[in-house]
Amino acid sequence: MNWVEILFGIVCGACITVGLVHLFVWFHQRRQWSFLLFSLSAFSAAAIALLELLMVQAASPQEYSQLLRLLLAFAALFIPCMLGFLWLDLRAGWLSLAVIAVVLRLVSLVANFVGGENSSFQTIVELRQVQAWGIDAFVLPVGVPNPMIMVGQASIFFTMAFIASVVWTVRLFQARGKRGA
């Protein structure tokens, strides 16, 4: 076991722990949907971390592709849940950016199961062994990109834009609050 596997294990454990805490709180405060959304985000993040660890150890392009398809499905759960949490908990940011990000992620999810091996690759030809950071070799895919990858990338762009708008809005309200005091 190398340090990357240990780190991914710690990340998964932390995400599951935080997710369970928020799920428990939501069971007691059912009207606070932000707790449920954050819990689902944390569980999705744990699944994504585990799948990434399995992907870098994949034995075949088919195994890598199946793991990537599953990872992208969890990303389609993570993004709406995290953006929903931010909106419900902070009531800040430009909601239209979040809606665009979620719609694009859902289109990407459909593409993930319809065209090509997944929404990132039409085909994965081989897995290239790479050695880095003092660990055993891990694999990177070599293949034909799926044009639908741009939809997923656009979703990430709008996700980041929404998060930036949340940060900007919260900072603006904080600055106004300090001047008024």
Side-chain angles (χ1 to χ4, degrees):
M1 184 175 255
N2 60 48
W3 68 270
V4 172
E5 292 169 342
I6 293 169
L7 183 62
F8 270 80
I10 291 169
V11 167
C12 285
C15 289
I16 290 169
T17 302
V18 168
L20 286 172
V21 168
H22 280 79
L23 186 62
F24 180 75
V25 171
W26 178 75
F27 278 132
H28 288 51
Q29 298 178 17
R30 297 263 174 139
R31 291 181 183 234
Q32 298 291 328
W33 289 99
S34 61
F35 288 114
L36 177 63
L37 291 174
F38 190 82
S39 177
L40 292 173
S41 296
F43 293 143
S44 298
I48 289 168
L50 177 63
L51 289 165
E52 284 184 350
L53 181 60
L54 293 173
M55 284 169 51
V56 298
Q57 300 170 348
S60 69
Q62 294 77 19
E63 179 185 358
Y64 188 96
S65 180
Q66 290 170 347
L67 292 168
L68 180 57
R69 178 176 282 175
L70 191 55
L71 182 143
L72 293 169
F74 277 106
L77 176 63
F78 175 81
I79 288 176
C81 289
M82 182 53 67
L83 298 183
F85 163 74
L86 289 171
W87 177 255
L88 289 175
D89 203 51
L90 299 175
R91 297 283 184 208
W94 297 315
L95 185 59
S96 58
L97 293 173
V99 170
I100 293 169
V102 170
V103 168
L104 288 172
R105 183 51 59 181
L106 293 177
V107 169
S108 179
L109 177 64
V110 170
N112 192 40
F113 291 100
V114 173
E117 292 191 22
N118 51 58
S119 60
S120 296
F121 289 98
Q122 288 181 336
T123 59
I124 297 177
V125 182
E126 69 173 310
L127 296 176
R128 194 164 288 154
Q129 296 278 338
V130 178
Q131 181 133 7
W133 305 305
I135 60 171
D136 295 334
F138 59 92
V139 298
L140 293 176
V142 177
V144 179
N146 190 335
M148 291 303 291
I149 195 172
M150 296 305 292
V151 176
Q153 297 298 321
S155 172
I156 293 169
F157 171 79
F158 281 101
T159 297
M160 298 300 289
F162 175 71
I163 292 169
S165 75
V166 168
V167 170
W168 182 77
T169 306
V170 169
R171 299 276 297 170
L172 183 66
F173 285 131
Q174 286 176 344
R176 285 183 182 165
K178 287 180 182 174
R179 278 185 283 185

